[in-house]
């Protein structure tokens, strides 16, 4: 290795990208920085198959590999050891691990990648060659905006121009799906589009009450003639239907068929307001510059802070929070104390600022 420039001779780089939708979006500034500092390096992403559509339209990478889907056997070609062998055959010079998992470090070690860069966490330090240290105080990790956290990896790789703003892309095919929805449900210039996102893959502790989402949606329909779309992931159908069932007016529940991540990006890009829990689609809104009302329960906003000026964050301080738990062991007081009127006040203010018509529609 060249000790004055450890990146000398780097021709093939594997980037293990985050596994959660929101974390992936927050990592995009680092992905852009790595691509910029290595324009001629062959960059391969390793990603969960469920997140594939997040890459549509992007130019951060040359190639994509996927983690094994489902509970494949350890020794199968498509399993963990098979993936390690597949990666070994590609002869990567280095791996940048944006995940904190022991599994990702073990994989790159078994794949024989000589330089393995990542945070020294979860007992994987011996598997890394280049170790970054996360901020700690009193034995606990200090909340740091994830964009800054990921950018530190890009900086270690030599990037100096480190953007802070997430970026996302859409394809013509994804935009066509949304246009068909707009045509079907009477969206036209002058009618605001509101996307309500009441679920959260992380767990129920992140979720505001469905009937309150419904009250907010009803008010926006009646006061602004809004067209309300309720989005949901496969495991969030029931909560989306519960929101709809609580309403006086009829929203568009995107459950038959489910809208996938690609068209969801395009829908958020073209909406006038996003009302959401602290979950993945929230970060689509930041990337596309959409007005957002975000409801925080168990999670600490400091981890995902971007400084986005067109977001209104609502959180009620409680002695037990933010606890970062998936399921509330008490009475969900952090969410029940956020009233519908609090959310409506923020939503009304953001919608009042919108242009008289939306020409992009």
């Amino acid at each position: 290795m060249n000790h004055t420039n450890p990146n000398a001779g780097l021709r093939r780089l594997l980037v293990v990208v985050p596994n959660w939708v929101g974390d992936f979006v927050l990592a995009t500034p680092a992905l852009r920085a790595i691509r910029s500092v290595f324009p001629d390096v062959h960059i391969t992403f390793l990603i969960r198959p469920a997140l594939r559509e997040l890459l549509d339209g992007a130019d951060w990478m040359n190639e994509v590999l996927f983690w094994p889907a489902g509970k494949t056997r350890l020794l199968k070609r498509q399993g963990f050891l098979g993936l390690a062998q597949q990666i070994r055959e590609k002869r990567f010079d280095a791996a940048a691990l944006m995940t904190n998992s022991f599994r990702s470090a073990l994989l790159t070690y078994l794949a024989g990648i000589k330089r393995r860069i990542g945070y020294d966490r979860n007992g994987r330090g011996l598997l890394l060659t280049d170790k970054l240290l996360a901020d700690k105080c009193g034995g606990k990790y200090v909340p740091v905006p994830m964009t800054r956290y990921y950018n530190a990896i890009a900086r270690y790789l030599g990037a100096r121009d480190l953007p802070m703003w997430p970026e996302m892309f859409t394809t013509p095919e994804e935009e066509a799906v949304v246009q068909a929805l707009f045509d079907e449900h009477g969206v036209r210039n002058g009618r605001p589009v509101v996307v309500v996102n009441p679920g959260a893959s992380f767990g129920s502790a992140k979720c505001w009450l469905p009937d309150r989402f419904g009250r907010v949606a009803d008010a926006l329909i009646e006061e602004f003639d809004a067209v309300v779309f309720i989005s949901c992931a496969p495991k969030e159908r029931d909560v989306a239907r519960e929101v709809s069932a609580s309403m006086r007016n009829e929203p568009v529940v995107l459950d038959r068929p489910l809208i996938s991540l690609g068209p969801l990006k395009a829908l958020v890009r073209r909406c006038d307001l996003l009302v959401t829990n602290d979950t993945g689609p929230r970060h689509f809104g930041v990337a596309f510059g959409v007005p957002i009302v975000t409801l925080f329960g168990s999670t600490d906003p400091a981890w995902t802070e971007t400084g986005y000026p067109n977001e209104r964050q609502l959180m009620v301080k409680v002695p037990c929070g933010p606890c970062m738990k998936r399921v509330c062991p008490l009475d969900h007081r952090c969410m029940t104390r956020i009233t519908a009127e609090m959310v409506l006040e923020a939503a009304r203010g953001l919608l009042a600022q919108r242009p008289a018509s939306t020409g992009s529609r």
Side-chain angles (χ1 to χ4, degrees):
M1 180 182 292
N2 185 324
H3 292 285
T4 59
N5 181 8
N7 297 321
L10 181 62
R11 295 290 178 266
R12 299 181 65 83
L13 174 67
L14 177 70
V15 179
V16 184
V17 302
N19 290 320
W20 294 89
V21 172
D23 288 352
F24 175 88
V25 180
L26 293 172
T28 58
L31 300 178
R32 168 61 59 208
I34 291 171
R35 174 80 284 176
S36 297
V37 81
F38 297 126
D40 300 319
V41 170
H42 186 95
I43 297 177
T44 299
F45 284 2
L46 177 60
I47 192 171
R48 286 175 50 214
L51 272 57
R52 176 65 184 87
E53 291 183 17
L54 297 182
L55 300 176
D56 289 347
D59 61 351
W60 306 302
M61 69 291 170
N62 303 92
E63 181 184 20
V64 181
L65 297 175
F66 298 100
W67 286 102
K71 297 181 179 179
T72 55
R73 290 183 180 176
L74 189 64
L75 296 177
K76 279 188 175 182
R77 174 67 186 177
Q78 67 269 34
F80 183 84
L81 294 183
L83 177 60
Q85 179 59 32
Q86 182 184 4
I87 292 172
R88 177 182 288 273
E89 292 167 359
K90 291 182 178 292
R91 299 183 180 277
F92 289 103
D93 301 302
L97 281 59
M98 292 191 171
T99 56
N100 295 319
S101 67
F102 184 89
R103 178 181 71 155
S104 59
L106 179 61
L107 178 74
T108 54
Y109 173 81
L110 293 176
I113 301 176
K114 291 184 178 180
R115 192 173 175 215
R116 302 176 298 278
I117 304 152
Y119 281 95
D120 186 357
R121 300 180 63 160
N122 299 324
R124 66 182 191 167
L126 291 175
L127 297 173
L128 302 173
T129 61
D130 300 58
K131 305 170 191 178
L132 283 73
L133 298 178
D135 292 343
K136 271 188 170 184
C137 181
K140 294 184 178 181
Y141 290 108
V142 177
V144 172
M146 294 306 294
T147 298
R148 198 176 102 194
Y149 185 85
Y150 296 129
N151 269 350
I153 297 176
R155 182 184 296 109
Y156 187 87
L157 283 167
R160 294 296 175 263
D161 182 12
L162 295 166
M164 289 298 294
W165 211 259
E167 61 178 325
M168 284 271 100
F169 305 90
T170 62
T171 66
E173 293 77 15
E174 292 163 353
E175 295 287 347
V177 171
V178 174
Q179 187 58 55
L181 282 171
F182 282 8
D183 292 343
E184 179 181 357
H185 297 288
V187 176
R188 59 184 183 275
N189 286 351
R191 293 193 73 185
V193 171
V194 176
V195 175
V196 171
N197 183 55
S201 298
F202 178 81
S204 61
K206 270 192 174 186
C207 296
W208 197 41
L209 285 68
D211 65 302
R212 295 188 191 179
F213 272 115
R215 286 164 60 187
V216 170
D218 270 330
L220 296 180
I221 291 171
E222 292 163 5
E223 295 178 26
F224 293 90
D225 191 27
V227 182
V228 172
F229 291 89
I230 302 177
S231 67
C232 55
K235 295 181 180 180
E236 299 166 3
R237 287 185 178 96
D238 288 346
V239 69
R241 292 167 184 168
E242 193 175 345
V243 173
S244 177
S246 73
M247 293 177 60
R248 299 182 298 275
N249 300 282
E250 188 174 352
V252 181
V253 182
L254 299 171
D255 63 339
R256 296 193 181 103
L258 284 166
I259 188 170
S260 65
L261 285 174
L264 180 57
K265 286 186 299 179
L267 176 60
V268 170
R269 188 189 74 80
R270 296 176 68 178
C271 78
D272 298 285
L273 177 67
L274 173 63
V275 182
T276 179
N277 298 315
D278 175 29
T279 186
R282 169 201 173 200
H283 304 290
F284 294 169
V286 175
F288 291 123
V290 169
I292 310 167
V293 178
T294 305
L295 304 152
F296 284 91
S298 64
T299 51
D300 189 337
W303 288 109
T304 54
E305 186 57 63
T306 61
Y308 177 50
N310 225 12
E311 178 182 38
R312 304 294 178 263
Q313 299 181 358
L314 299 181
M315 184 177 191
V316 175
K317 291 185 178 181
V318 293
C320 52
C323 65
M324 302 300 291
K325 294 183 183 296
R326 292 174 181 264
V327 178
C328 178
L330 300 174
D331 55 8
H332 212 193
R333 63 191 65 177
C334 59
M335 278 300 197
T336 59
R337 294 181 187 182
I338 299 176
T339 67
E341 189 55 41
M342 291 164 64
V343 177
L344 269 172
E345 183 179 359
R348 289 179 181 123
L350 290 170
L351 282 177
Q353 298 173 14
R354 65 186 286 268
S357 64
T358 307
S360 62
R361 234 168 259 153

